């Protein structure tokens, strides 16, 4: 009998980040001492003042269905956040709150893409972009970048990737998985290309905005002259406030796109969780410096990871400027046999590290870059030191 499941799901890949996290959990349950550097999830607790707001919301009987696009108070807090942090002026009909930025992205793809529409994805891109695009009948068009250019797409590369079928460009800055940041002038140069094509829209995923180790202010594509009406700004609280499980993300977008997302969400999940939304009002109204202690710690860990990896032959790294990942090029191991196992590609290498070093990482293939692996340093310094010590032992 042929598989009764839909072609849609059969053609979709499993999220490599979540699959690796599940595999690590499974091996731990078997008693193996796995160090997880695979999942992009802050290892901090949600700050107390946010937890208190959630407890208050429960006691205040916030238990009913929420407006599909989010509580008005939350949308106002998001508007203020966009003004305060990004100099962007959105209005209430331009904001939609969703169950995580992942749902925001899925909404946008489903309301914007028709069969065969092309979506340019500078590589490496966040793992779910290409499957979300394909799920909605879009065609991902990968633009290859390399570690030598800090994994950034140039205006020339963007221009060369555009065809009459191009509908959108999706990117994250700070980037998951490379940690690269596009500066204001780099965004302006990309925008010069995009402005020549009135029918191309941009998804600017800024969920790592606050995890920025540079003196450069965060740059938002929607703030570039002429781009506001062509850009969907995606953001959320998972990373900056250590709230991954609370599941709140949001967009600021042209109102006709926001209205369409609202309509879509109304038939799929309805409004996001009531308690989480109340807590996020408090989170977004706070000064962003309340999470500086997490960012300071991530920076110490980034430097630690880079220092330790620099002492292993065969790992080539750039210096990530944001987010909490390093994305070393490990292609020098391809074709080698280590402990009787032949490493042909990044997936073999990542599996080798899991089996021999008991360290979970994610293959670069999942992010559209076959030469690299991703290590998340959202783990304690002791775990990082031990993990990289084990990696060194099994590769040298
Ligand atoms: N975008 C990027 C770049 C991410 O790394 C993540 C990771 N979770 C998301 C979006 C989705 O975030 P969430 O659904 O937790 O808000
Ligand atoms: N964004 C995180 C990551 O890239 C969480 C996992 C996920 O949502 O896929 O690891």
């Amino acid at each position: 009998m042929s598989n009764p499941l839909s072609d849609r799901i059969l053609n979709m890949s499993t999220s490599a980040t979540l699959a690796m996290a599940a595999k690590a959990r499974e091996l731990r349950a078997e008693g193996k001492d796995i160090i997880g550097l695979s999942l992009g999830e802050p290892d901090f607790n949600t700050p107390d003042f946010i937890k208190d707001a959630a407890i208050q919301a429960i006691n205040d009987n916030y238990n009913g269905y929420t407006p599909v696009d989010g509580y008005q108070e939350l949308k106002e807090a998001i508007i203020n956040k966009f003004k305060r942090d990004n100099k962007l002026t959105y209005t209430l009909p331009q904001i939609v709150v969703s169950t995580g930025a992942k749902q925001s992205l899925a909404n946008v793809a489903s309301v914007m893409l028709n069969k065969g529409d092309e979506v340019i994805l500078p590589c490496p891109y966040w793992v779910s972009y290409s499957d979300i695009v394909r799920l909605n009948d879009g065609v991902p068009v990968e633009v290859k970048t390399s570690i030598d250019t800090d994994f950034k797409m140039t205006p020339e590369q963007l221009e060369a990737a555009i065809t009459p079928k191009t509908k959108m460009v999706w990117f994250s800055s700070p980037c998951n998985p490379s940690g690269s940041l596009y500066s204001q002038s780099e965004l302006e140069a990309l925008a010069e290309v995009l402005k020549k094509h009135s029918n191309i829209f941009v998804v600017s995923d800024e969920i790592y905005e606050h995890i920025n180790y540079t003196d450069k202010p965060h740059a938002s594509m929607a703030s570039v002259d002429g781009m506001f009406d062509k850009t969907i700004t995606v953001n959320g609280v998972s990373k900056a406030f250590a709230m991954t499980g609370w599941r709140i993300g949001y967009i600021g977008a042209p109102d006709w796109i926001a209205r369409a997302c609202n309509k879509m969400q109304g038939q799929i999940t309805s409004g996001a969780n009531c308690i989480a939304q109340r807590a996020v009002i408090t989170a977004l109204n706070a000064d962003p410096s309340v999470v500086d202690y997490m960012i300071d710690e991530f920076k110490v860990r980034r430097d630690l990871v880079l220092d330790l990896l620099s002492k292993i032959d065969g790992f080539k790294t750039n210096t990530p400027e944001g987010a909490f990942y390093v994305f070393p090029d490990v292609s020098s191991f391809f074709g080698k046999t280590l402990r009787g196992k032949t490493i042909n590609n990044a997936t073999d290498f990542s599996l080798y590290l899991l089996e021999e070093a008991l360290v979970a990482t994610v293959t670069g293939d999942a992010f559209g870059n076959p030469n690299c692996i991703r290590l998340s340093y959202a783990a304690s310094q002791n775990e990082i030191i031990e993990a990289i010590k084990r990696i060194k032992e099994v590769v040298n």
Side-chain angles (χ1 to χ4, degrees):
M1 188 181 92
S2 65
N3 193 322
L5 288 172
S6 69
D7 293 343
R8 193 175 304 115
I9 192 69
L10 292 174
N11 290 333
M12 189 177 173
S13 351
T14 300
S15 159
T17 46
L18 300 184
M20 195 49 136
K23 176 105 188 137
R25 265 197 295 271
E26 209 177 281
L27 292 172
R28 270 191 213 111
E30 288 170 14
K32 298 215 168 96
D33 171 26
I34 303 289
I35 302 181
L37 302 185
S38 58
L39 196 59
E41 168 160 70
D43 56 327
F44 293 97
N45 292 325
T46 302
D48 285 343
F49 75 98
I50 301 175
K51 292 195 283 195
D52 290 343
I55 293 164
Q56 187 64 45
I58 294 174
N59 289 330
D60 289 345
N61 295 310
Y62 279 96
N63 47 238
Y65 283 126
T66 59
V68 171
D69 52 350
Y71 284 127
Q72 175 155 337
E73 255 176 289
L74 176 53
K75 291 174 54 173
E76 283 165 356
I78 291 168
I79 288 170
N80 289 338
K81 173 252 156 330
F82 274 133
K83 226 176 243 143
R84 177 191 67 204
D85 302 340
N86 314 110
K87 309 275 177 291
L88 294 172
T89 306
Y90 286 110
T91 56
L92 285 169
Q94 296 181 294
I95 306 294
V96 180
V97 177
S98 298
T99 302
K102 207 179 244 181
Q103 188 185 24
S104 305
L105 291 161
N107 283 342
V108 170
S110 68
V111 308
M112 293 298 288
L113 298 178
N114 281 319
K115 197 170 177 56
D117 284 345
E118 293 179 358
V119 178
I120 295 177
L121 304 179
C123 300
Y125 50 78
W126 180 48
V127 60
S128 293
Y129 290 174
S130 83
D131 275 287
I132 292 176
V133 166
R134 287 195 294 121
L135 187 62
N136 290 284
D137 293 331
V139 179
V141 174
E142 299 189 349
V143 173
K144 302 286 175 199
T145 67
S146 97
I147 197 164
D148 302 315
T149 51
D150 209 15
F151 297 111
K152 287 192 239 184
M153 175 172 69
T154 63
E156 295 72 29
Q157 285 180 302
L158 173 60
E159 183 83 71
I162 292 174
T163 76
K165 290 192 170 162
T166 306
K167 183 72 181 279
M168 305 190 86
V169 180
W170 286 29
F171 73 102
S172 62
S173 175
C175 173
N176 176 2
S178 70
S180 303
L181 305 184
Y182 283 95
S183 66
Q184 185 74 22
S185 58
E186 285 167 334
L187 292 183
E188 282 165 7
L190 294 173
E192 281 312 305
V193 176
L194 294 169
K195 280 189 266 180
K196 289 190 255 166
H197 304 270
S198 58
N199 49 346
I200 300 182
F201 295 85
V202 177
V203 162
S204 177
D205 180 345
E206 305 181 14
I207 197 164
Y208 294 95
E209 150 184 33
H210 294 299
I211 308 175
N212 173 349
Y213 310 121
T214 71
D215 298 332
K216 288 185 265 182
H218 173 75
S220 291
M221 187 53 115
S223 74
V224 174
D225 196 29
M227 291 305 293
F228 188 72
D229 293 333
K230 296 163 76 72
T231 302
I232 298 119
T233 308
V234 175
N235 211 323
V237 292
S238 284
K239 315 295 171 176
F241 294 98
M243 295 181 75
T244 48
W246 297 67
R247 310 305 305 128
I248 299 290
Y250 54 89
I251 57 165
D255 56 1
W256 56 275
I257 297 179
R259 257 198 317 276
C261 290
N262 188 350
K263 179 174 167 189
M264 175 61 62
Q265 192 163 290
Q267 292 286 28
I268 306 282
T269 55
S270 301
N273 175 281
C274 52
I275 307 304
Q277 286 197 55
R278 301 308 303 178
V280 173
I281 294 171
T282 299
L284 292 182
N285 281 336
D287 189 282
S289 63
V290 293
V291 294
D292 278 357
Y293 67 97
M294 297 190 211
I295 293 145
D296 292 346
E297 173 62 19
F298 284 136
K299 184 163 191 272
V300 170
R301 295 176 188 176
R302 179 207 55 178
D303 294 341
L304 177 67
V305 172
L306 290 179
D307 177 51
L308 295 172
L309 288 182
S310 73
K311 294 175 183 145
I312 307 181
D313 289 341
F315 277 69
K316 183 173 169 191
T317 51
N318 66 328
T319 302
E321 296 183 316
F324 35 63
Y325 309 100
V326 281
F327 199 58
D329 185 315
V330 293
S331 57
S332 69
F333 293 100
F334 300 170
K336 290 195 175 149
T337 300
L338 301 171
R339 299 190 172 195
K341 290 182 177 155
T342 304
I343 311 291
N344 287 314
N345 49 46
T347 302
D348 288 349
F349 190 70
S350 174
L351 278 176
Y352 175 76
L353 295 184
L354 183 65
E355 285 161 7
E356 296 294 326
L358 304 182
V359 175
T361 58
V362 186
T363 173
D365 280 315
F367 306 95
N369 184 314
N371 291 331
C372 297
I373 58 166
R374 189 189 79 172
L375 286 77
S376 158
Y377 49 89
S380 72
Q381 293 187 39
N382 283 343
E383 283 176 302
I384 291 168
I385 292 167
E386 173 63 20
I388 300 181
K389 181 173 140 246
R390 291 190 198 170
I391 292 175
K392 190 170 183 181
E393 277 163 14
V394 303
V395 301
N396 283 343

PDB file of all heavy atoms in Angstrom, residues 354-377:
ATOM      1  N   LEU A 354      28.881  13.009  17.930  1.00  0.00           N
ATOM      2  CA  LEU A 354      27.857  12.508  18.862  1.00  0.00           C
ATOM      3  C   LEU A 354      28.244  11.124  19.384  1.00  0.00           C
ATOM      4  O   LEU A 354      28.201  10.865  20.584  1.00  0.00           O
ATOM      5  CB  LEU A 354      26.494  12.447  18.149  1.00  0.00           C
ATOM      6  CG  LEU A 354      25.325  12.013  19.024  1.00  0.00           C
ATOM      7  CD1 LEU A 354      25.072  13.042  20.130  1.00  0.00           C
ATOM      8  CD2 LEU A 354      24.053  11.826  18.206  1.00  0.00           C
ATOM      9  N   GLU A 355      28.675  10.261  18.465  1.00  0.00           N
ATOM     10  CA  GLU A 355      28.946   8.874  18.861  1.00  0.00           C
ATOM     11  C   GLU A 355      30.266   8.735  19.632  1.00  0.00           C
ATOM     12  O   GLU A 355      30.342   7.996  20.612  1.00  0.00           O
ATOM     13  CB  GLU A 355      29.002   7.973  17.616  1.00  0.00           C
ATOM     14  CG  GLU A 355      27.608   7.725  17.071  1.00  0.00           C
ATOM     15  CD  GLU A 355      27.608   7.242  15.629  1.00  0.00           C
ATOM     16  OE1 GLU A 355      28.698   6.969  15.077  1.00  0.00           O
ATOM     17  OE2 GLU A 355      26.516   7.160  15.049  1.00  0.00           O
ATOM     18  N   GLU A 356      31.289   9.463  19.202  1.00  0.00           N
ATOM     19  CA  GLU A 356      32.619   9.245  19.795  1.00  0.00           C
ATOM     20  C   GLU A 356      32.932  10.227  20.926  1.00  0.00           C
ATOM     21  O   GLU A 356      33.604   9.876  21.883  1.00  0.00           O
ATOM     22  CB  GLU A 356      33.706   9.348  18.713  1.00  0.00           C
ATOM     23  CG  GLU A 356      33.603   8.285  17.645  1.00  0.00           C
ATOM     24  CD  GLU A 356      33.871   6.869  18.170  1.00  0.00           C
ATOM     25  OE1 GLU A 356      34.700   6.703  19.073  1.00  0.00           O
ATOM     26  OE2 GLU A 356      33.224   5.926  17.652  1.00  0.00           O
ATOM     27  N   ALA A 357      32.461  11.485  20.795  1.00  0.00           N
ATOM     28  CA  ALA A 357      32.770  12.476  21.838  1.00  0.00           C
ATOM     29  C   ALA A 357      31.570  12.689  22.756  1.00  0.00           C
ATOM     30  O   ALA A 357      31.683  13.368  23.773  1.00  0.00           O
ATOM     31  CB  ALA A 357      33.171  13.803  21.191  1.00  0.00           C
ATOM     32  N   LEU A 358      30.432  12.113  22.389  1.00  0.00           N
ATOM     33  CA  LEU A 358      29.182  12.323  23.126  1.00  0.00           C
ATOM     34  C   LEU A 358      28.846  13.819  23.210  1.00  0.00           C
ATOM     35  O   LEU A 358      28.415  14.327  24.247  1.00  0.00           O
ATOM     36  CB  LEU A 358      29.245  11.683  24.518  1.00  0.00           C
ATOM     37  CG  LEU A 358      29.568  10.186  24.564  1.00  0.00           C
ATOM     38  CD1 LEU A 358      29.555   9.660  25.998  1.00  0.00           C
ATOM     39  CD2 LEU A 358      28.586   9.354  23.723  1.00  0.00           C
ATOM     40  N   VAL A 359      29.061  14.512  22.100  1.00  0.00           N
ATOM     41  CA  VAL A 359      28.733  15.938  22.023  1.00  0.00           C
ATOM     42  C   VAL A 359      27.747  16.125  20.865  1.00  0.00           C
ATOM     43  O   VAL A 359      28.021  15.719  19.739  1.00  0.00           O
ATOM     44  CB  VAL A 359      29.992  16.798  21.774  1.00  0.00           C
ATOM     45  CG1 VAL A 359      29.605  18.259  21.582  1.00  0.00           C
ATOM     46  CG2 VAL A 359      30.973  16.659  22.943  1.00  0.00           C
ATOM     47  N   ALA A 360      26.599  16.752  21.175  1.00  0.00           N
ATOM     48  CA  ALA A 360      25.578  16.969  20.138  1.00  0.00           C
ATOM     49  C   ALA A 360      25.802  18.332  19.482  1.00  0.00           C
ATOM     50  O   ALA A 360      25.875  19.359  20.168  1.00  0.00           O
ATOM     51  CB  ALA A 360      24.189  16.900  20.756  1.00  0.00           C
ATOM     52  N   THR A 361      25.918  18.320  18.150  1.00  0.00           N
ATOM     53  CA  THR A 361      26.038  19.553  17.356  1.00  0.00           C
ATOM     54  C   THR A 361      24.994  19.415  16.236  1.00  0.00           C
ATOM     55  O   THR A 361      24.247  18.444  16.216  1.00  0.00           O
ATOM     56  CB  THR A 361      27.445  19.657  16.731  1.00  0.00           C
ATOM     57  OG1 THR A 361      27.654  18.491  15.913  1.00  0.00           O
ATOM     58  CG2 THR A 361      28.535  19.722  17.791  1.00  0.00           C
ATOM     59  N   VAL A 362      24.958  20.352  15.304  1.00  0.00           N
ATOM     60  CA  VAL A 362      24.024  20.200  14.170  1.00  0.00           C
ATOM     61  C   VAL A 362      24.810  20.337  12.871  1.00  0.00           C
ATOM     62  O   VAL A 362      25.653  21.244  12.735  1.00  0.00           O
ATOM     63  CB  VAL A 362      22.892  21.262  14.204  1.00  0.00           C
ATOM     64  CG1 VAL A 362      21.865  20.973  13.101  1.00  0.00           C
ATOM     65  CG2 VAL A 362      22.196  21.295  15.552  1.00  0.00           C
ATOM     66  N   THR A 363      24.518  19.464  11.918  1.00  0.00           N
ATOM     67  CA  THR A 363      25.212  19.523  10.636  1.00  0.00           C
ATOM     68  C   THR A 363      24.862  20.804   9.868  1.00  0.00           C
ATOM     69  O   THR A 363      23.708  21.244   9.869  1.00  0.00           O
ATOM     70  CB  THR A 363      24.855  18.301   9.760  1.00  0.00           C
ATOM     71  OG1 THR A 363      25.415  18.490   8.463  1.00  0.00           O
ATOM     72  CG2 THR A 363      23.351  18.110   9.605  1.00  0.00           C
ATOM     73  N   GLY A 364      25.866  21.364   9.200  1.00  0.00           N
ATOM     74  CA  GLY A 364      25.642  22.557   8.388  1.00  0.00           C
ATOM     75  C   GLY A 364      24.702  22.319   7.227  1.00  0.00           C
ATOM     76  O   GLY A 364      24.091  23.263   6.709  1.00  0.00           O
ATOM     77  N   ASP A 365      24.552  21.060   6.803  1.00  0.00           N
ATOM     78  CA  ASP A 365      23.630  20.752   5.701  1.00  0.00           C
ATOM     79  C   ASP A 365      22.228  21.276   5.995  1.00  0.00           C
ATOM     80  O   ASP A 365      21.521  21.718   5.098  1.00  0.00           O
ATOM     81  CB  ASP A 365      23.529  19.230   5.493  1.00  0.00           C
ATOM     82  CG  ASP A 365      24.714  18.713   4.691  1.00  0.00           C
ATOM     83  OD1 ASP A 365      25.061  19.354   3.687  1.00  0.00           O
ATOM     84  OD2 ASP A 365      25.289  17.688   5.089  1.00  0.00           O
ATOM     85  N   ALA A 366      21.844  21.211   7.269  1.00  0.00           N
ATOM     86  CA  ALA A 366      20.501  21.655   7.645  1.00  0.00           C
ATOM     87  C   ALA A 366      20.326  23.158   7.443  1.00  0.00           C
ATOM     88  O   ALA A 366      19.208  23.665   7.384  1.00  0.00           O
ATOM     89  CB  ALA A 366      20.238  21.300   9.105  1.00  0.00           C
ATOM     90  N   PHE A 367      21.450  23.873   7.358  1.00  0.00           N
ATOM     91  CA  PHE A 367      21.395  25.332   7.222  1.00  0.00           C
ATOM     92  C   PHE A 367      21.834  25.775   5.828  1.00  0.00           C
ATOM     93  O   PHE A 367      22.140  26.941   5.599  1.00  0.00           O
ATOM     94  CB  PHE A 367      22.314  25.997   8.267  1.00  0.00           C
ATOM     95  CG  PHE A 367      22.033  25.562   9.687  1.00  0.00           C
ATOM     96  CD1 PHE A 367      22.747  24.531  10.279  1.00  0.00           C
ATOM     97  CD2 PHE A 367      21.049  26.190  10.433  1.00  0.00           C
ATOM     98  CE1 PHE A 367      22.491  24.120  11.580  1.00  0.00           C
ATOM     99  CE2 PHE A 367      20.782  25.792  11.735  1.00  0.00           C
ATOM    100  CZ  PHE A 367      21.508  24.763  12.310  1.00  0.00           C
ATOM    101  N   GLY A 368      21.925  24.804   4.912  1.00  0.00           N
ATOM    102  CA  GLY A 368      22.318  25.144   3.541  1.00  0.00           C
ATOM    103  C   GLY A 368      23.805  25.362   3.379  1.00  0.00           C
ATOM    104  O   GLY A 368      24.235  25.991   2.421  1.00  0.00           O
ATOM    105  N   ASN A 369      24.623  24.867   4.311  1.00  0.00           N
ATOM    106  CA  ASN A 369      26.080  24.963   4.137  1.00  0.00           C
ATOM    107  C   ASN A 369      26.717  23.619   4.467  1.00  0.00           C
ATOM    108  O   ASN A 369      26.794  23.225   5.636  1.00  0.00           O
ATOM    109  CB  ASN A 369      26.676  26.056   5.025  1.00  0.00           C
ATOM    110  CG  ASN A 369      28.165  26.210   4.768  1.00  0.00           C
ATOM    111  OD1 ASN A 369      28.896  25.224   4.695  1.00  0.00           O
ATOM    112  ND2 ASN A 369      28.619  27.443   4.631  1.00  0.00           N
ATOM    113  N   PRO A 370      27.187  22.894   3.445  1.00  0.00           N
ATOM    114  CA  PRO A 370      27.654  21.524   3.670  1.00  0.00           C
ATOM    115  C   PRO A 370      29.057  21.422   4.260  1.00  0.00           C
ATOM    116  O   PRO A 370      29.514  20.309   4.533  1.00  0.00           O
ATOM    117  CB  PRO A 370      27.629  20.921   2.260  1.00  0.00           C
ATOM    118  CG  PRO A 370      27.824  22.086   1.344  1.00  0.00           C
ATOM    119  CD  PRO A 370      27.230  23.279   2.031  1.00  0.00           C
ATOM    120  N   ASN A 371      29.738  22.551   4.477  1.00  0.00           N
ATOM    121  CA  ASN A 371      31.121  22.470   4.980  1.00  0.00           C
ATOM    122  C   ASN A 371      31.242  22.680   6.490  1.00  0.00           C
ATOM    123  O   ASN A 371      32.326  22.535   7.034  1.00  0.00           O
ATOM    124  CB  ASN A 371      31.999  23.530   4.295  1.00  0.00           C
ATOM    125  CG  ASN A 371      32.204  23.212   2.834  1.00  0.00           C
ATOM    126  OD1 ASN A 371      32.194  22.041   2.456  1.00  0.00           O
ATOM    127  ND2 ASN A 371      32.368  24.234   2.026  1.00  0.00           N
ATOM    128  N   CYS A 372      30.141  23.077   7.116  1.00  0.00           N
ATOM    129  CA  CYS A 372      30.236  23.531   8.510  1.00  0.00           C
ATOM    130  C   CYS A 372      29.384  22.678   9.447  1.00  0.00           C
ATOM    131  O   CYS A 372      28.543  21.893   8.999  1.00  0.00           O
ATOM    132  CB  CYS A 372      29.743  24.980   8.596  1.00  0.00           C
ATOM    133  SG  CYS A 372      30.753  26.125   7.635  1.00  0.00           S
ATOM    134  N   ILE A 373      29.622  22.853  10.734  1.00  0.00           N
ATOM    135  CA  ILE A 373      28.688  22.337  11.744  1.00  0.00           C
ATOM    136  C   ILE A 373      28.367  23.500  12.683  1.00  0.00           C
ATOM    137  O   ILE A 373      29.140  24.460  12.780  1.00  0.00           O
ATOM    138  CB  ILE A 373      29.254  21.156  12.565  1.00  0.00           C
ATOM    139  CG1 ILE A 373      30.548  21.554  13.292  1.00  0.00           C
ATOM    140  CG2 ILE A 373      29.467  19.929  11.695  1.00  0.00           C
ATOM    141  CD1 ILE A 373      30.970  20.550  14.375  1.00  0.00           C
ATOM    142  N   ARG A 374      27.217  23.410  13.355  1.00  0.00           N
ATOM    143  CA  ARG A 374      26.845  24.473  14.286  1.00  0.00           C
ATOM    144  C   ARG A 374      26.977  23.994  15.717  1.00  0.00           C
ATOM    145  O   ARG A 374      26.511  22.914  16.073  1.00  0.00           O
ATOM    146  CB  ARG A 374      25.402  24.923  14.046  1.00  0.00           C
ATOM    147  CG  ARG A 374      25.052  26.182  14.838  1.00  0.00           C
ATOM    148  CD  ARG A 374      23.566  26.504  14.777  1.00  0.00           C
ATOM    149  NE  ARG A 374      22.800  25.668  15.684  1.00  0.00           N
ATOM    150  CZ  ARG A 374      21.496  25.843  15.951  1.00  0.00           C
ATOM    151  NH1 ARG A 374      20.823  26.817  15.356  1.00  0.00           N
ATOM    152  NH2 ARG A 374      20.876  25.050  16.788  1.00  0.00           N
ATOM    153  N   LEU A 375      27.651  24.816  16.528  1.00  0.00           N
ATOM    154  CA  LEU A 375      27.703  24.561  17.971  1.00  0.00           C
ATOM    155  C   LEU A 375      26.983  25.720  18.654  1.00  0.00           C
ATOM    156  O   LEU A 375      27.277  26.882  18.364  1.00  0.00           O
ATOM    157  CB  LEU A 375      29.140  24.541  18.486  1.00  0.00           C
ATOM    158  CG  LEU A 375      30.029  23.330  18.182  1.00  0.00           C
ATOM    159  CD1 LEU A 375      30.520  23.380  16.750  1.00  0.00           C
ATOM    160  CD2 LEU A 375      31.224  23.313  19.111  1.00  0.00           C
ATOM    161  N   SER A 376      26.053  25.397  19.535  1.00  0.00           N
ATOM    162  CA  SER A 376      25.378  26.438  20.306  1.00  0.00           C
ATOM    163  C   SER A 376      26.135  26.591  21.620  1.00  0.00           C
ATOM    164  O   SER A 376      26.413  25.599  22.283  1.00  0.00           O
ATOM    165  CB  SER A 376      23.936  26.011  20.571  1.00  0.00           C
ATOM    166  OG  SER A 376      23.437  26.701  21.693  1.00  0.00           O
ATOM    167  N   TYR A 377      26.471  27.827  21.981  1.00  0.00           N
ATOM    168  CA  TYR A 377      27.139  27.999  23.279  1.00  0.00           C
ATOM    169  C   TYR A 377      26.175  28.525  24.342  1.00  0.00           C
ATOM    170  O   TYR A 377      26.582  29.162  25.319  1.00  0.00           O
ATOM    171  CB  TYR A 377      28.424  28.823  23.185  1.00  0.00           C
ATOM    172  CG  TYR A 377      28.347  30.127  22.442  1.00  0.00           C
ATOM    173  CD1 TYR A 377      27.995  31.305  23.096  1.00  0.00           C
ATOM    174  CD2 TYR A 377      28.672  30.193  21.098  1.00  0.00           C
ATOM    175  CE1 TYR A 377      27.956  32.509  22.419  1.00  0.00           C
ATOM    176  CE2 TYR A 377      28.626  31.387  20.407  1.00  0.00           C
ATOM    177  CZ  TYR A 377      28.255  32.543  21.075  1.00  0.00           C
ATOM    178  OH  TYR A 377      28.203  33.730  20.401  1.00  0.00           O
TER     179      TYR A 377
END
